[in-house]
Amino acid sequence: AATLSDNRGLRNAVGVVIAREGTDASAKPIWKALSPKNTREGISGSLHSIMLKPATAAGRKLAQAARGTKCFMFKQDQCPSMIYKDTVFMLTASGLLCVAYTISYVNGKVGCSKNYTKHNKGRKCKGWQCFVDLHHVATRSYLSGLCFVPNAINKLIEKIVNPRPVHGLPDKNIEASYKAHKPHVILDNISELKGHEDSIRAGDVDCVECQRGTSKGHPSKLLLTSLMPGQPNFVYLKR
């Protein structure tokens, strides 16, 4: 719901929000605000001392942070409501932070930034299950960081709910480029899909199936082949 362009008040209540300057609509300006100030690298650090503090020993242990690295965590009462309160960040050579340990708000899996291992001597965080991105929303005036989600899910949300405009189009198209469903419609659609999946697992819905055998082909291609004339599932079709 916070991703929908109309819900500015909700984003302000749950996210890390900064004023947008220039044409950069990526999450990088948010990372620059959260990272320690570094004038040479153009890193403002405007939110760093407000929101973050040095990581505790317990936090570094969760991140499996290498000795000598600088790690940070949210101060008490400064962690956004859709970000895990014990999230750990590591300072990289670029001067920007990356996620060293978190639990994804969307699927409850433990993860870290995709480039974390490069800065942590090849090690991932403790209990690692996925790589995560900072899901954010860009409008003409603000950038809002909402939560950490797996890379693939982040791309899916952006495509379905709040897709980016084609590169080179005027900024005004960011908010007007897509008419999203209302939040209750999106939730109803997700619930309906979940119900259908549950029915399949319970055996209440007939499905098209085929034997995979030793084939390494993509499942969708195998299922399509099974529907061809002379194949087992052709009986399901009619003119």
Side-chain angles (χ1 to χ4, degrees):
T3 301
L4 301 181
S5 60
D6 290 341
N7 292 348
R8 177 182 171 186
L10 181 56
R11 285 196 295 277
N12 290 344
V14 302
V16 178
V17 183
I18 63 171
R20 183 178 173 189
E21 299 177 358
T23 59
D24 192 349
S26 72
K28 190 172 183 179
I30 300 174
W31 283 113
K32 286 185 175 181
L34 288 171
S35 300
K37 184 176 181 179
N38 187 326
T39 305
R40 186 181 63 182
E41 299 296 336
I43 298 172
S44 69
S46 59
L47 296 177
H48 181 74
S49 61
I50 297 173
M51 300 189 72
L52 301 182
K53 64 179 181 179
T56 61
R60 292 184 64 90
K61 187 175 182 179
L62 288 173
Q64 297 193 133
R67 181 176 298 179
T69 56
K70 292 184 178 180
C71 295
F72 301 90
M73 300 176 73
F74 285 106
K75 291 181 178 179
Q76 189 174 5
D77 300 327
Q78 286 295 326
C79 183
S81 59
M82 294 198 297
I83 295 179
Y84 182 58
K85 65 180 180 65
D86 290 329
T87 292
V88 181
F89 303 98
M90 176 179 282
L91 184 63
T92 69
S94 68
L96 294 175
L97 297 175
C98 71
V99 182
Y101 177 88
T102 194
I103 297 178
S104 170
Y105 182 82
V106 171
N107 64 356
K109 290 188 175 181
V110 174
C112 59
S113 293
K114 197 169 185 178
N115 64 345
Y116 176 59
T117 54
K118 181 176 70 174
H119 302 288
N120 195 43
K121 298 183 179 180
R123 290 186 295 183
K124 299 173 184 175
C125 61
K126 186 175 182 180
W128 179 89
Q129 294 174 295
C130 66
F131 290 119
V132 299
D133 287 332
L134 173 61
H135 179 62
H136 81 291
V137 178
T139 67
R140 282 173 289 181
S141 303
Y142 298 95
L143 294 173
S144 305
L146 301 176
C147 58
F148 292 110
V149 299
N151 304 115
I153 293 179
N154 188 47
K155 293 176 182 178
L156 181 64
I157 296 172
E158 290 179 348
K159 292 288 186 182
I160 294 176
V161 182
N162 195 26
R164 307 285 176 79
V166 177
H167 180 69
L169 289 180
D171 286 349
K172 66 181 182 181
N173 289 298
I174 289 179
E175 293 172 298
S177 61
Y178 183 77
K179 187 66 175 177
H181 291 308
K182 294 296 182 183
H184 73 276
V185 176
I186 294 175
L187 294 175
D188 285 345
N189 289 341
I190 294 173
S191 178
E192 184 177 345
L193 177 61
K194 184 63 170 60
H196 185 67
E197 291 177 339
D198 290 343
S199 295
I200 292 174
R201 292 191 183 95
D204 298 330
V205 177
D206 289 330
C207 299
V208 175
E209 299 177 335
C210 67
Q211 293 294 323
R212 182 163 191 168
T214 59
S215 174
K216 296 183 179 179
H218 195 281
S220 62
K221 291 183 178 179
L222 295 176
L223 286 169
L224 182 60
T225 301
S226 76
L227 292 166
M228 297 297 182
Q231 297 301 314
N233 290 322
F234 182 68
V235 295
Y236 286 98
L237 304 181
K238 65 179 182 179
R239 291 185 181 276

